[in-house]
Amino acid sequence: MADRIEPTGAVRTVGPRDVIFSTTDGRGVITSANQGFARIAAHPWSALVGAPHNIIRHPQMPAGAFKLMWDTLQAGQPFSAYVQNLAGDGAAYWVFATVTPLGDGYLSVRIAPGVDAFWSAAAGAYADVLVAERQARAEGLGGVAVAEVGCERLAARIGQLGFADAEEFMHTVMPAEVLAMAGRRQPVDPAEQADGPVGVVLSTCVAVDREVAGLMERLDGLHRLAEQLQHVERDALAAVAALSEVTELAQHASATVSQTAPVLLSTAGAMSTLGDEVGGMLAELAPELAAARRAVLRVRFRIALARLHVDAVVDAAREIDRGSVQLGPEHLAQLCTSLRDDLAGAREDLEDGAAVLRRVGLGLELAHVRLRRTDRFLATWRVQVPRYQVSRQLAPYVSPIDGRLRMSHEQLAALRDLAERCAAEAEPFDDAPLRALVDRVAAAAGGLSLSGVPPLSTAGGLP
Ligand SMILES: Cc1cc2nc3c(=O)[nH]c(=O)nc-3n(C[C@H](O)[C@H](O)[C@H](O)COP(=O)(O)O)c2cc1C
């Protein structure tokens, strides 16, 4: 940057319903931006287009965050983060940004941060990473090495927040931010009419909005499933340990009365074999549960991405309708390409995720059957204790066994419930109506002749 802008300490906030976007080439040079971007960044549009995106870099943003961004993008994956930017007049402003590959370059769509817990966690992490980076620089490390130090520190902070990695953080935070935005935004008004292709875009966006709302309804179910998968994964190994403790205890107790009640020992032996089998199954299932959870979070992320990009399409259409000299139909068409990519990505991710979910569902079903059988043996063993009149001798042992039997019902119900939910969420969604609508928006945006485009009523759930 030729003239370095210094932060003045002024802080600007992004409007709760604002959608700020820009596109860049493969190196991060700005190729287009909406008016919202130029306004908040306080740079004339002409100074923005053709400038590297670090034109709005804030000195308090750690280099590690941008390294993580570029590494993720270069791996072909979308990236989301809270970013503090520096406007041309020295004011700082925070955004929640989502950057996706688009053609040979990238698209970034930003909204106001709306989930305070995540935002403050990110800001706290950045402050800490910045300290590590300054120290590394003071020790004589160069820019690349400093960014690496920052990136590592950032990963450590994300871990401390309870996330497995940066991807899990993004896949959790982004849908939460988009849901918060969805609560603030106003749906596209069917009465909002314009002439020509832009009119078609806006009226079709009403229908797109409705279809995406249908998809968004899946977010809650997917979130609940992700949480349940995490709980069962966490509890599964503890349950295995508890089960083997109890079966060992029953065996040990049975051995002490093998003369008077030999049948107890054979029941305990059978139970222990079954228990070991269940233990093995649950232990093998644990990484699968984690994989299923990651897949579920990925699908949620893709759906939220589609929601975000619809907002960008609507904003661009409105701006073009107002006679923008900066944005044209080609930009709208580009945004529609992003939206199509999101839908294709969501479908693909759901297909991959569905395979994992079905596998996990079957595994859980099997574990459920075996565990129930083990618990039946345990219940039989428990009934045999008074029947063979060894209650007094075995009194010190039975209390943990009774505890296990009391928990059994709950644990079995949790396994069964999760198996059912996995099967339910593995159902594919029908995105054909939505794709048809996006094609219609793209066709209108491209100023293409609308002849041959199916009438609205057949394109799927249109007004
Ligand atoms: C699509 C896209 C959007 C970007 N948006 C921002 C942004 O809003 N703020 C920012 O500081 N950097 C943004 N960047 C990253 C910059 O290109 C750059 O990597 C970053 O500012 C660090 O720059 P520096 O290390 O050269 O100072 C964006 C990059 C891309 C590809």
Side-chain angles (χ1 to χ4, degrees), residues 1 22-29 37 52-58 61 63 66 69-70 73 83-85 93 95 97 99-100 106-108 110:
M1 264 184 292
S22 58
T23 56
T24 69
D25 66 9
R27 290 171 308 126
V29 172
F37 183 90
H53 225 308
N54 68 6
I55 186 172
I56 52 166
R57 180 176 183 180
H58 196 290
M61 272 302 289
F66 293 114
M69 182 197 87
W70 282 106
L73 291 177
V83 180
Q84 182 174 209
N85 281 325
Y93 63 96
V95 293
V99 191
T100 43
Y106 302 102
L107 162 71
S108 177
R110 305 147 184 107

Side-chain angles (χ1 to χ4, degrees), residues 157-176:
R157 286 293 303 225
I158 288 170
Q160 283 164 10
L161 292 172
F163 295 93
D165 51 30
E167 184 185 88
E168 190 183 299
F169 180 74
M170 283 187 253
H171 287 182
T172 305
V173 173
M174 198 278 235

Side-chain angles (χ1 to χ4, degrees), residues 12-16 18 20 81-84 93-97 110-120 122 173 176-178 180-181 184:
R12 183 165 299 141
T13 52
V14 175
D18 287 356
I20 298 167
Y82 294 95
V83 180
Q84 182 174 209
Y93 63 96
W94 278 93
V95 293
F96 182 75
R110 305 147 184 107
I111 55 177
V115 184
D116 289 347
F118 289 142
W119 180 16
S120 55
V173 173
E177 282 292 350
V178 167
M181 173 69 169
R184 305 190 297 259

Side-chain angles (χ1 to χ4, degrees), residues 27-332:
R27 290 171 308 126
V29 172
I30 300 172
T31 48
S32 74
N34 67 343
Q35 284 171 353
F37 183 90
R39 199 167 37 236
I40 193 126
H43 279 290
W45 194 83
S46 55
L48 287 173
V49 172
H53 225 308
N54 68 6
I55 186 172
I56 52 166
R57 180 176 183 180
H58 196 290
Q60 275 169 6
M61 272 302 289
F66 293 114
K67 173 174 164 48
L68 181 61
M69 182 197 87
W70 282 106
D71 288 351
T72 310
L73 291 177
Q74 277 157 6
Q77 295 303 314
F79 176 83
S80 286
Y82 294 95
V83 180
Q84 182 174 209
N85 281 325
L86 184 62
D89 57 3
Y93 63 96
W94 278 93
V95 293
F96 182 75
T98 298
V99 191
T100 43
L102 174 62
D104 295 334
Y106 302 102
L107 162 71
S108 177
V109 180
R110 305 147 184 107
I111 55 177
V115 184
D116 289 347
F118 289 142
W119 180 16
S120 55
Y126 289 166
D128 180 46
V129 173
L130 209 61
V131 171
E133 289 183 0
R134 284 190 182 139
Q135 196 177 328
R137 205 167 284 121
E139 284 165 10
L141 294 193
V144 174
V146 166
E148 266 162 24
V149 167
C151 215
E152 272 168 32
R153 185 60 162 255
L154 192 56
R157 286 293 303 225
I158 288 170
Q160 283 164 10
L161 292 172
F163 295 93
D165 51 30
E167 184 185 88
E168 190 183 299
F169 180 74
M170 283 187 253
H171 287 182
T172 305
V173 173
M174 198 278 235
E177 282 292 350
V178 167
L179 275 167
M181 173 69 169
R184 305 190 297 259
R185 75 190 284 279
Q186 279 174 325
V188 189
D189 183 356
E192 189 177 351
Q193 285 302 337
D195 295 330
V198 168
V200 178
V201 168
L202 284 175
S203 64
T204 312
C205 279
V206 177
V208 170
D209 239 19
R210 207 173 299 155
E211 287 289 334
V212 174
L215 271 187
M216 293 282 284
E217 278 169 15
R218 285 196 72 162
L219 291 194
D220 267 353
L222 289 167
H223 180 65
R224 272 199 307 278
L225 176 58
E227 285 200 326
Q228 238 176 318
L229 285 163
Q230 193 173 31
H231 286 156
V232 171
E233 185 203 342
R234 219 169 24 211
D235 294 350
L237 295 177
V240 171
L243 189 64
S244 78
E245 236 173 69
V246 163
T247 54
E248 269 171 34
L249 190 67
Q251 269 194 306
H252 179 72
S254 307
T256 65
V257 292
S258 60
Q259 300 298 321
T260 41
V263 72
L264 257 71
L265 198 56
S266 56
T267 308
M271 175 168 75
S272 169
T273 312
L274 261 175
D276 288 349
E277 257 181 57
V278 178
M281 282 176 82
L282 286 177
E284 272 176 31
L285 210 54
E288 292 263 34
L289 290 167
R293 179 165 173 272
R294 267 195 303 277
V296 166
L297 291 178
R298 202 169 299 134
V299 174
R300 278 189 96 228
F301 181 89
R302 290 283 183 186
I303 293 175
L305 203 54
R307 161 79 279 159
L308 187 70
H309 286 162
V310 169
D311 288 349
V313 167
V314 173
D315 186 89
R318 285 182 179 139
E319 195 170 316
I320 292 168
D321 185 41
R322 287 196 300 267
S324 166
V325 285
Q326 288 95 21
L327 285 187
E330 69 279 17
H331 300 116
L332 202 46

